[in-house]
Amino acid sequence: MANRRCLQVLTRHALAIFSTKPYIHSLKIVPSFLSQNFRTHASVPNCLFAKIDPSLCTNWSHSRYLSSDSQNGNEDDDTEEDDDEDDEDYDSGEDDDISVPSRGMQKEYTKEEKEAEAASIGYKVVGPIDRSSEVFKPYEPVFAVVQIGSHQFKVSNGDSIFTERLKFCDVNDKLILNRVLLLGSSRQTIVGRPTVPSAVVQAVVEEHALDAKVIIFKKKRRKNYRRTKGHRQELTKLRIIDIEGIDKPEIIEKSSKVAGKNPKQVSVAA
């Protein structure tokens, strides 16, 4: 656009000179200056050609600034002012005591924060189990309904359950599930309102694993839109080792039948 405007201005001035000075028509002028590239502003030399009277070129001594250049200059000034304002805003923001965590950085939890978040989910981390101690006990006819997060499980001694990934615990860590909703046995049943205060379910973390892949497929017909995505949920496997808070009935072993006794044969008279 700037080059085009330069050429238009030069042609207008050239036509004005030719119309006022009729003797210039006899000169052989090659308008080579019209093909030059003018980037910032159109500057014309004092004398176009040697054969032209220098007095005719007095009108061309000054440089003419184009409207596009002035607009660009204004835009540059505006951008500089905007940059200065942004710098001032940034400097003023540094005075605030607001710390924004960067992406990819994991939040560091204190011990109290870990305990509070684990308690809100429904468990407490005791620590790693001792290999010398006998953790697993024989089966007992007692069951409990526990809540972990937003899911409820009916468990007994020796059962294994899969929950969503639990934080702040590793494999072979002992957990206490303190959100017990119900306890039951063959003799009694205790229902919590909403939880049983004296009930405790102990568990051990066996592994952290991934669930089977789930395919998410989205489509919008007649829009050429199809998206396929897979997801594997992180899980934690727990093994129930003990249930406390209810009287446990004794296991009565059934007496085996006495071997070697045959039923009496009764003779039937013919």
Side-chain angles (χ1 to χ4, degrees):
M1 290 297 292
N3 295 334
R4 187 181 300 174
R5 290 175 182 175
C6 291
L7 294 176
Q8 290 176 358
V9 172
L10 293 176
T11 52
R12 282 200 298 269
H13 284 280
L15 292 175
I17 293 172
F18 293 154
S19 61
T20 56
K21 306 295 182 179
Y23 60 88
I24 297 179
H25 293 283
S26 61
L27 299 176
K28 294 181 179 180
I29 299 174
V30 180
S32 60
F33 66 94
L34 299 177
S35 63
Q36 295 180 357
N37 294 326
F38 298 89
R39 294 183 180 178
T40 58
H41 60 273
S43 61
V44 183
N46 293 327
C47 187
L48 297 176
F49 299 98
K51 295 182 181 180
I52 301 177
D53 188 3
S55 63
L56 301 176
C57 298
T58 56
N59 297 328
W60 298 86
S61 60
H62 64 278
S63 60
R64 182 179 297 274
Y65 293 92
L66 302 177
S67 60
S68 61
D69 296 332
S70 62
Q71 291 177 359
N72 293 333
N74 295 331
E75 290 176 0
D76 295 336
D77 296 337
D78 295 338
T79 54
E80 290 177 359
E81 293 177 357
D82 294 338
D83 294 337
D84 296 337
E85 292 176 357
D86 294 336
D87 294 336
E88 292 176 358
D89 295 337
Y90 181 76
D91 295 336
S92 63
E94 290 179 351
D95 297 335
D96 299 335
D97 295 331
I98 300 174
S99 60
V100 179
S102 59
R103 293 183 179 178
M105 298 293 292
Q106 295 182 356
K107 181 180 178 182
E108 295 182 358
Y109 293 89
T110 61
K111 185 176 180 180
E112 291 77 10
E113 291 177 351
K114 290 181 179 180
E115 292 178 355
E117 189 166 351
S120 64
I121 297 173
Y123 69 96
K124 179 182 178 181
V125 181
V126 178
I129 59 175
D130 297 332
R131 295 185 179 181
S132 59
S133 62
E134 295 181 359
V135 178
F136 300 99
K137 299 179 180 180
Y139 173 77
E140 297 172 348
V142 176
F143 70 92
V145 177
V146 296
Q147 182 176 354
I148 304 174
S150 59
H151 301 277
Q152 298 179 4
F153 303 90
K154 180 184 176 182
V155 295
S156 297
N157 188 16
D159 293 348
S160 62
I161 57 176
F162 286 91
T163 66
E164 294 183 359
R165 177 66 182 262
L166 300 180
K167 297 181 179 179
F168 320 125
C169 61
D170 298 328
V171 180
N172 293 331
D173 281 355
K174 185 177 180 180
L175 305 181
I176 293 178
L177 309 178
N178 48 21
R179 193 174 293 178
V180 182
L181 305 179
L182 185 141
L183 289 174
S185 65
S186 59
R187 295 181 180 179
Q188 62 177 343
T189 301
I190 303 174
V191 180
R193 297 182 180 180
T195 59
V196 181
S198 60
V200 170
V201 176
Q202 299 180 5
V204 176
V205 180
E206 288 193 348
E207 63 174 340
H208 296 294
L210 294 176
D211 198 2
K213 181 180 286 188
V214 179
I215 303 299
I216 300 100
F217 180 73
K218 298 180 181 180
K219 177 184 177 181
K220 295 180 182 179
R221 61 177 185 175
R222 297 190 297 274
K223 302 297 182 181
N224 195 19
Y225 177 86
R226 292 178 180 84
R227 297 292 183 271
T228 303
K229 186 178 179 180
H231 173 72
R232 298 188 68 183
Q233 179 66 36
E234 295 183 351
L235 301 176
T236 299
K237 184 179 180 181
L238 301 178
R239 177 74 64 176
I240 307 300
I241 57 176
D242 192 13
I243 296 175
E244 299 177 0
I246 189 172
D247 295 336
K248 300 176 182 179
E250 297 179 358
I251 299 176
I252 300 175
E253 296 182 357
K254 295 181 180 180
S255 59
S256 58
K257 295 181 180 180
V258 180
K261 289 186 177 181
N262 294 328
K264 296 181 179 180
Q265 294 180 359
V266 179
S267 60
V268 178

PDB file of all heavy atoms in Angstrom, residues 10 13 18 26 38 69 115 143 147 172 174-175 180 183 204 235:
ATOM      1  N   LEU A  10       3.627  10.759  -6.857  1.00  0.00           N
ATOM      2  CA  LEU A  10       4.629  11.194  -7.833  1.00  0.00           C
ATOM      3  C   LEU A  10       4.011  11.449  -9.197  1.00  0.00           C
ATOM      4  O   LEU A  10       4.376  12.412  -9.887  1.00  0.00           O
ATOM      5  CB  LEU A  10       5.729  10.137  -7.927  1.00  0.00           C
ATOM      6  CG  LEU A  10       6.601   9.969  -6.670  1.00  0.00           C
ATOM      7  CD1 LEU A  10       7.578   8.822  -6.864  1.00  0.00           C
ATOM      8  CD2 LEU A  10       7.356  11.250  -6.372  1.00  0.00           C
ATOM      9  N   HIS A  13       2.199  14.877  -9.182  1.00  0.00           N
ATOM     10  CA  HIS A  13       3.133  15.998  -9.268  1.00  0.00           C
ATOM     11  C   HIS A  13       3.760  16.097 -10.648  1.00  0.00           C
ATOM     12  O   HIS A  13       3.972  17.214 -11.164  1.00  0.00           O
ATOM     13  CB  HIS A  13       4.208  15.860  -8.190  1.00  0.00           C
ATOM     14  CG  HIS A  13       3.734  16.230  -6.819  1.00  0.00           C
ATOM     15  ND1 HIS A  13       3.647  17.539  -6.399  1.00  0.00           N
ATOM     16  CD2 HIS A  13       3.305  15.464  -5.786  1.00  0.00           C
ATOM     17  CE1 HIS A  13       3.201  17.571  -5.159  1.00  0.00           C
ATOM     18  NE2 HIS A  13       2.992  16.318  -4.756  1.00  0.00           N
ATOM     19  N   PHE A  18       4.160  18.923 -15.953  1.00  0.00           N
ATOM     20  CA  PHE A  18       4.044  18.885 -17.418  1.00  0.00           C
ATOM     21  C   PHE A  18       2.980  19.840 -17.924  1.00  0.00           C
ATOM     22  O   PHE A  18       3.102  20.432 -18.994  1.00  0.00           O
ATOM     23  CB  PHE A  18       3.723  17.466 -17.874  1.00  0.00           C
ATOM     24  CG  PHE A  18       4.855  16.487 -17.616  1.00  0.00           C
ATOM     25  CD1 PHE A  18       4.591  15.138 -17.442  1.00  0.00           C
ATOM     26  CD2 PHE A  18       6.175  16.934 -17.528  1.00  0.00           C
ATOM     27  CE1 PHE A  18       5.629  14.250 -17.208  1.00  0.00           C
ATOM     28  CE2 PHE A  18       7.208  16.042 -17.294  1.00  0.00           C
ATOM     29  CZ  PHE A  18       6.938  14.694 -17.121  1.00  0.00           C
ATOM     30  N   SER A  26       8.957  18.393 -24.904  1.00  0.00           N
ATOM     31  CA  SER A  26       9.920  18.065 -25.942  1.00  0.00           C
ATOM     32  C   SER A  26      11.062  17.221 -25.442  1.00  0.00           C
ATOM     33  O   SER A  26      11.819  16.644 -26.239  1.00  0.00           O
ATOM     34  CB  SER A  26      10.479  19.365 -26.564  1.00  0.00           C
ATOM     35  OG  SER A  26      11.126  20.125 -25.551  1.00  0.00           O
ATOM     36  N   PHE A  38       9.752   2.312  -2.467  1.00  0.00           N
ATOM     37  CA  PHE A  38       9.760   3.262  -1.362  1.00  0.00           C
ATOM     38  C   PHE A  38       9.144   2.565  -0.157  1.00  0.00           C
ATOM     39  O   PHE A  38       7.987   2.201  -0.199  1.00  0.00           O
ATOM     40  CB  PHE A  38       8.963   4.508  -1.732  1.00  0.00           C
ATOM     41  CG  PHE A  38       9.532   5.240  -2.911  1.00  0.00           C
ATOM     42  CD1 PHE A  38       9.129   4.909  -4.192  1.00  0.00           C
ATOM     43  CD2 PHE A  38      10.464   6.228  -2.739  1.00  0.00           C
ATOM     44  CE1 PHE A  38       9.638   5.571  -5.274  1.00  0.00           C
ATOM     45  CE2 PHE A  38      10.974   6.892  -3.819  1.00  0.00           C
ATOM     46  CZ  PHE A  38      10.589   6.567  -5.104  1.00  0.00           C
ATOM     47  N   ASP A  69       2.583   5.640   7.075  1.00  0.00           N
ATOM     48  CA  ASP A  69       3.692   5.748   8.010  1.00  0.00           C
ATOM     49  C   ASP A  69       3.255   6.389   9.307  1.00  0.00           C
ATOM     50  O   ASP A  69       3.650   5.984  10.396  1.00  0.00           O
ATOM     51  CB  ASP A  69       4.829   6.567   7.386  1.00  0.00           C
ATOM     52  CG  ASP A  69       5.428   5.874   6.170  1.00  0.00           C
ATOM     53  OD1 ASP A  69       5.361   4.641   6.145  1.00  0.00           O
ATOM     54  OD2 ASP A  69       5.945   6.572   5.272  1.00  0.00           O
ATOM     55  N   GLU A 115      -3.120 -36.348  57.224  1.00  0.00           N
ATOM     56  CA  GLU A 115      -4.066 -37.034  58.113  1.00  0.00           C
ATOM     57  C   GLU A 115      -5.486 -36.516  57.899  1.00  0.00           C
ATOM     58  O   GLU A 115      -6.444 -37.308  57.888  1.00  0.00           O
ATOM     59  CB  GLU A 115      -3.635 -36.836  59.562  1.00  0.00           C
ATOM     60  CG  GLU A 115      -2.338 -37.550  59.924  1.00  0.00           C
ATOM     61  CD  GLU A 115      -1.922 -37.288  61.361  1.00  0.00           C
ATOM     62  OE1 GLU A 115      -2.616 -36.471  62.025  1.00  0.00           O
ATOM     63  OE2 GLU A 115      -0.933 -37.887  61.809  1.00  0.00           O
ATOM     64  N   PHE A 143     -19.205 -59.712  59.686  1.00  0.00           N
ATOM     65  CA  PHE A 143     -19.075 -58.868  58.484  1.00  0.00           C
ATOM     66  C   PHE A 143     -19.286 -57.412  58.880  1.00  0.00           C
ATOM     67  O   PHE A 143     -19.831 -57.097  59.954  1.00  0.00           O
ATOM     68  CB  PHE A 143     -20.086 -59.284  57.409  1.00  0.00           C
ATOM     69  CG  PHE A 143     -21.507 -58.969  57.745  1.00  0.00           C
ATOM     70  CD1 PHE A 143     -22.095 -57.763  57.359  1.00  0.00           C
ATOM     71  CD2 PHE A 143     -22.293 -59.878  58.459  1.00  0.00           C
ATOM     72  CE1 PHE A 143     -23.406 -57.477  57.672  1.00  0.00           C
ATOM     73  CE2 PHE A 143     -23.609 -59.582  58.774  1.00  0.00           C
ATOM     74  CZ  PHE A 143     -24.172 -58.390  58.380  1.00  0.00           C
ATOM     75  N   GLN A 147     -17.280 -47.552  54.385  1.00  0.00           N
ATOM     76  CA  GLN A 147     -17.343 -46.559  53.326  1.00  0.00           C
ATOM     77  C   GLN A 147     -15.946 -45.970  53.115  1.00  0.00           C
ATOM     78  O   GLN A 147     -15.323 -45.475  54.059  1.00  0.00           O
ATOM     79  CB  GLN A 147     -18.337 -45.440  53.680  1.00  0.00           C
ATOM     80  CG  GLN A 147     -18.470 -44.395  52.572  1.00  0.00           C
ATOM     81  CD  GLN A 147     -19.526 -43.354  52.896  1.00  0.00           C
ATOM     82  OE1 GLN A 147     -20.230 -43.472  53.904  1.00  0.00           O
ATOM     83  NE2 GLN A 147     -19.645 -42.347  52.067  1.00  0.00           N
ATOM     84  N   ASN A 172       2.136 -52.801  51.489  1.00  0.00           N
ATOM     85  CA  ASN A 172       2.420 -53.382  52.804  1.00  0.00           C
ATOM     86  C   ASN A 172       2.209 -52.386  53.943  1.00  0.00           C
ATOM     87  O   ASN A 172       2.694 -52.616  55.067  1.00  0.00           O
ATOM     88  CB  ASN A 172       3.839 -53.954  52.880  1.00  0.00           C
ATOM     89  CG  ASN A 172       4.028 -55.154  51.981  1.00  0.00           C
ATOM     90  OD1 ASN A 172       3.070 -55.894  51.711  1.00  0.00           O
ATOM     91  ND2 ASN A 172       5.242 -55.356  51.495  1.00  0.00           N
ATOM     92  N   LYS A 174      -0.290 -50.675  56.707  1.00  0.00           N
ATOM     93  CA  LYS A 174      -1.496 -51.045  57.441  1.00  0.00           C
ATOM     94  C   LYS A 174      -2.411 -49.835  57.540  1.00  0.00           C
ATOM     95  O   LYS A 174      -1.967 -48.728  57.878  1.00  0.00           O
ATOM     96  CB  LYS A 174      -1.126 -51.546  58.833  1.00  0.00           C
ATOM     97  CG  LYS A 174      -2.298 -52.081  59.642  1.00  0.00           C
ATOM     98  CD  LYS A 174      -1.822 -52.619  60.977  1.00  0.00           C
ATOM     99  CE  LYS A 174      -2.987 -53.148  61.799  1.00  0.00           C
ATOM    100  NZ  LYS A 174      -2.546 -53.687  63.117  1.00  0.00           N
ATOM    101  N   LEU A 175      -3.699 -50.046  57.227  1.00  0.00           N
ATOM    102  CA  LEU A 175      -4.699 -48.986  57.267  1.00  0.00           C
ATOM    103  C   LEU A 175      -5.779 -49.331  58.276  1.00  0.00           C
ATOM    104  O   LEU A 175      -6.040 -50.502  58.556  1.00  0.00           O
ATOM    105  CB  LEU A 175      -5.344 -48.784  55.887  1.00  0.00           C
ATOM    106  CG  LEU A 175      -4.424 -48.516  54.697  1.00  0.00           C
ATOM    107  CD1 LEU A 175      -5.256 -48.317  53.443  1.00  0.00           C
ATOM    108  CD2 LEU A 175      -3.538 -47.312  54.948  1.00  0.00           C
ATOM    109  N   VAL A 180     -17.253 -47.038  59.557  1.00  0.00           N
ATOM    110  CA  VAL A 180     -18.002 -48.293  59.539  1.00  0.00           C
ATOM    111  C   VAL A 180     -19.482 -47.963  59.702  1.00  0.00           C
ATOM    112  O   VAL A 180     -19.892 -47.350  60.700  1.00  0.00           O
ATOM    113  CB  VAL A 180     -17.530 -49.248  60.652  1.00  0.00           C
ATOM    114  CG1 VAL A 180     -18.289 -50.559  60.572  1.00  0.00           C
ATOM    115  CG2 VAL A 180     -16.032 -49.471  60.551  1.00  0.00           C
ATOM    116  N   LEU A 183     -22.307 -53.338  61.434  1.00  0.00           N
ATOM    117  CA  LEU A 183     -21.622 -54.557  61.869  1.00  0.00           C
ATOM    118  C   LEU A 183     -22.660 -55.653  62.049  1.00  0.00           C
ATOM    119  O   LEU A 183     -23.780 -55.380  62.489  1.00  0.00           O
ATOM    120  CB  LEU A 183     -20.869 -54.330  63.187  1.00  0.00           C
ATOM    121  CG  LEU A 183     -19.620 -53.443  63.141  1.00  0.00           C
ATOM    122  CD1 LEU A 183     -19.103 -53.210  64.551  1.00  0.00           C
ATOM    123  CD2 LEU A 183     -18.535 -54.075  62.286  1.00  0.00           C
ATOM    124  N   VAL A 204      -4.735 -54.147  54.880  1.00  0.00           N
ATOM    125  CA  VAL A 204      -3.348 -54.033  54.420  1.00  0.00           C
ATOM    126  C   VAL A 204      -3.371 -53.729  52.927  1.00  0.00           C
ATOM    127  O   VAL A 204      -4.158 -54.327  52.174  1.00  0.00           O
ATOM    128  CB  VAL A 204      -2.546 -55.332  54.700  1.00  0.00           C
ATOM    129  CG1 VAL A 204      -1.141 -55.240  54.123  1.00  0.00           C
ATOM    130  CG2 VAL A 204      -2.483 -55.586  56.186  1.00  0.00           C
ATOM    131  N   LEU A 235      -6.293 -47.999  40.768  1.00  0.00           N
ATOM    132  CA  LEU A 235      -6.956 -48.713  41.861  1.00  0.00           C
ATOM    133  C   LEU A 235      -5.944 -49.094  42.929  1.00  0.00           C
ATOM    134  O   LEU A 235      -4.733 -49.162  42.674  1.00  0.00           O
ATOM    135  CB  LEU A 235      -7.656 -49.977  41.340  1.00  0.00           C
ATOM    136  CG  LEU A 235      -8.726 -49.788  40.259  1.00  0.00           C
ATOM    137  CD1 LEU A 235      -9.237 -51.135  39.794  1.00  0.00           C
ATOM    138  CD2 LEU A 235      -9.871 -48.932  40.773  1.00  0.00           C
TER     139      LEU A 235
END
